[in-house]
Amino acid sequence: MAMLLTVLAVMGCGLIAGLFFAFSTAVMGALGQLSPAAGITAMQRINRVIVNPLFLGVFFGTGALCLLLMVMAVPWRGETFWLVLGGASYLVGSLGITLICNVPLNHRLAHVAAESREADIVWADYRERWVWWNHLRTVFSLLATASLALSL
C-alpha cells in the first residue's frame, strides 16, 4: 500500500512541478509580452479557471498523500529520509509558497482594473514577484518528485 501511495505522490508532485515549470518558462513570458491590460486580463482569467476540481484534487490530494507518507514513515526505515524530504518539500515549497505568496498576489491582481492608470506598475510588480515565487515552488516540487521517487 505504501508503494502505491508513494507512486501516486510522485505522479502528483511531477504534475504540479510541470505546471509550475510551464508557467515559469512559457506562460508568464508570453503574458509579459502583452500590453499590461491584456496581461492582467489573461492572468485574472487563468486564476479563475485554474480553481477547478481536477487541479484542486491533484494539488491538495498530493499534499495529503505527502503528509500521510511522512506519518507512515515513522518508525524510521531506510527510505524515511527520502519520504520526509519529499513530503516536506511539497508541503512547504509547493503548497506553502502557493498559499502564502502566490495566492495573495493573485487576489490582489483580481481587484486591479486592467485599464487603470496604475496597471503598468501593478502588472510589472506582480509578474516579478509572482514569477520569483513560482520558480522557487517549481524547484521544491521537483525536489519532492525526485525525493519521493528515490524512496521507492
Side-chain angles (χ1 to χ4, degrees):
M1 179 60 113
M3 183 177 286
L4 174 62
L5 295 176
T6 305
V7 169
L8 290 173
V10 168
M11 291 169 56
C13 289
L15 284 169
I16 297 302
L19 175 69
F20 293 160
F21 180 75
F23 266 86
S24 282
T25 61
V27 174
M28 293 307 286
L31 294 180
Q33 293 178 4
L34 301 174
S35 69
I40 289 170
T41 301
M43 193 65 187
Q44 288 171 335
R45 173 91 31 108
I46 290 167
N47 288 336
R48 283 191 305 273
V49 170
I50 201 163
V51 180
N52 66 69
L54 184 56
F55 170 75
L56 294 175
V58 172
F59 187 62
F60 288 110
T62 299
L65 284 172
C66 286
L67 186 59
L68 179 61
L69 288 168
M70 290 171 67
V71 169
M72 289 172 54
V74 178
W76 299 88
R77 299 184 312 265
E79 71 275 7
T80 298
F81 171 79
W82 297 113
L83 285 172
V84 172
L85 179 62
S89 295
Y90 186 82
L91 291 170
V92 172
S94 183
L95 275 172
I97 289 173
T98 298
L99 297 174
I100 294 170
C101 302
N102 293 85
V103 168
L105 289 169
N106 293 343
H107 285 292
R108 275 184 248 141
L109 188 69
H111 300 292
V112 172
E115 300 292 339
S116 66
R117 264 191 248 157
E118 67 274 359
D120 292 4
I121 295 167
V122 170
W123 181 234
D125 180 65
Y126 172 86
R127 279 192 358 261
E128 180 180 333
R129 292 172 48 200
W130 193 95
V131 168
W132 191 90
W133 289 114
N134 192 65
H135 290 332
L136 194 58
R137 63 188 184 160
T138 300
V139 170
F140 274 107
S141 295
L142 287 171
L143 176 61
T145 304
S147 298
L148 291 170
L150 286 170
S151 77
L152 292 168

